[in-house]
Amino acid sequence: MKSFGFQGVIGAIDCTHIKIKTPNSDIEHVYVCRKGGYSLNVQVVCDYNLKILDCNARFGGTAHDASIGIASALRVLLIRNYENGDRNFRLIGDSGYLLLPFLMTPA
């Protein structure tokens, strides 16, 4: 895998809003997107070849990228691997994510 100077990078992480139909009125507040309308905020991790390594589509449009990252099963797995001594991997993400030992974000 090419890393373009980022040692140990296994992929990139980001979220994107996927437009959905208007949900039931009792839950629509969860899906209101900051850009108007309703959406799912879907987190995806892909490698250099654009192969999807992980996808999380459980959150409505009101969820922030950092909240999705904190609540994801992927984070639990990566923390466990890191704490067990596997420190040869990194993800890169944007400023919507928290800086973690295995997640590089802009300063």
Side-chain angles (χ1 to χ4, degrees):
M1 175 191 313
K2 295 182 182 179
S3 67
F4 296 100
F6 291 108
Q7 188 66 27
V9 171
I10 60 171
I13 186 169
D14 202 3
C15 287
T16 188
H17 288 268
I18 306 296
K19 188 174 180 176
I20 61 172
K21 293 181 180 179
T22 304
N24 295 336
S25 60
D26 56 332
I27 60 168
E28 69 180 321
H29 64 281
V30 174
Y31 297 95
V32 175
C33 171
R34 70 181 185 277
K35 297 180 180 182
Y38 302 98
S39 69
L40 291 174
N41 195 0
V42 179
Q43 177 180 275
V44 177
V45 177
C46 68
D47 69 8
Y48 170 77
N49 295 311
L50 302 180
K51 178 181 175 187
I52 294 175
L53 304 175
D54 185 70
C55 183
N56 183 347
R58 297 183 310 134
F59 292 85
T62 58
H64 189 274
D65 294 4
S67 300
I68 296 170
I70 289 168
S72 72
L74 175 65
R75 179 178 178 267
V76 172
L77 174 69
L78 295 176
I79 287 173
R80 184 180 312 128
N81 288 352
Y82 187 84
E83 290 175 347
N84 288 333
D86 181 4
R87 298 191 175 160
N88 295 321
F89 66 93
R90 304 274 184 286
L91 291 175
I92 55 174
D94 64 16
S95 60
Y97 286 94
L98 301 175
L99 178 64
L100 296 168
F102 50 81
L103 176 55
M104 296 188 309
T105 61

